[in-house]
Amino acid sequence: MTFERLYTTYFPDVYRFAVWLTRDTTEAEDVASETFIRAWGKRDRLRTETLKGYLFAIARNTFIKRRHASDKNEQLPAVVFDGAPDPHRTASARMDLDRVTRALSQMPSPDRLALVLRTEHSLPYEEIARVLEISVGAARVKVHRARRRLLAQAMTNNGGTSWP
């Protein structure tokens, strides 16, 4: 696989994941770029069946290293840029997104990341475990707990009706 093919195939997913991690598009570009540089430096270890998860693990580790280096420990903002511009989003959909974002921001980071990797990036539990450096069972539990927290929050906010 060439670097160009690796980059064009996986950059959108890695970038979106980096936006979720950093909450800043400029920093997300840096994290994503550094991810591909690190991955290419270890291209002899790349296996296509786990490549996406491997890139996510590198992105997560790069983000953690950058955060430790800059000593930033910011809270998630109430409104999060989701990385996919959609000028036709309705007010109702925006309110739902804001509610989900607030609920996600109240979750512990590993649970939130596990849910995002599973739902947004469709990673199998084995890859989530590898990215978060936990067991497969723990990955399943984290995703399950995160889903239950979102459901409980939805039930609380809407008087028993579900959302979105």
Side-chain angles (χ1 to χ4, degrees):
M1 175 178 284
T2 66
F3 181 81
E4 181 180 1
R5 183 164 178 237
L6 173 73
Y7 187 83
T8 57
T9 302
Y10 293 102
F11 181 80
D13 291 330
V14 172
Y15 174 72
R16 273 197 329 245
F17 181 62
V19 169
W20 267 99
L21 290 171
T22 64
R23 305 296 178 228
D24 177 80
T25 56
T26 303
E27 187 177 359
E29 289 174 6
D30 292 344
V31 167
S33 296
E34 191 171 333
T35 296
F36 285 96
I37 291 168
R38 289 175 187 240
W40 191 249
K42 299 177 182 180
R43 64 185 169 269
D44 55 322
R45 296 186 208 162
L46 297 179
R47 294 189 328 250
T48 56
E49 65 273 2
T50 61
L51 188 53
K52 193 173 184 180
Y54 182 67
L55 291 170
F56 286 158
I58 293 172
R60 177 181 174 265
N61 291 337
T62 300
F63 167 71
I64 290 169
K65 286 178 186 174
R66 291 172 64 93
R67 178 167 272 193
H68 286 288
S70 67
D71 228 14
K72 282 189 196 175
N73 285 320
E74 299 175 20
Q75 291 288 355
L76 280 174
V79 178
V80 177
F81 174 68
D82 67 359
D86 183 4
H88 304 291
R89 187 177 302 223
T90 64
S92 174
R94 184 65 193 180
M95 288 175 19
D96 286 343
L97 177 62
D98 290 344
R99 277 183 260 175
V100 170
T101 302
R102 276 194 303 276
L104 282 170
S105 71
Q106 295 172 0
M107 286 184 199
S109 179
D111 293 2
R112 182 176 58 248
L113 285 174
L115 182 63
V116 168
L117 290 170
R118 182 70 179 163
T119 59
E120 181 68 21
H121 299 286
S122 304
L123 284 188
Y125 291 108
E126 293 78 14
E127 289 297 308
I128 295 169
R130 206 176 337 250
V131 170
L132 297 179
E133 299 174 345
I134 58 177
S135 70
V136 174
R140 289 179 188 275
V141 168
K142 288 190 179 305
V143 170
H144 175 74
R145 286 182 182 162
R147 285 180 175 154
R148 290 195 47 103
R149 282 189 191 114
L150 281 179
L151 179 60
Q153 186 74 26
M155 299 301 273
T156 301
N157 287 341
N158 292 327
T161 61
S162 64
W163 56 264

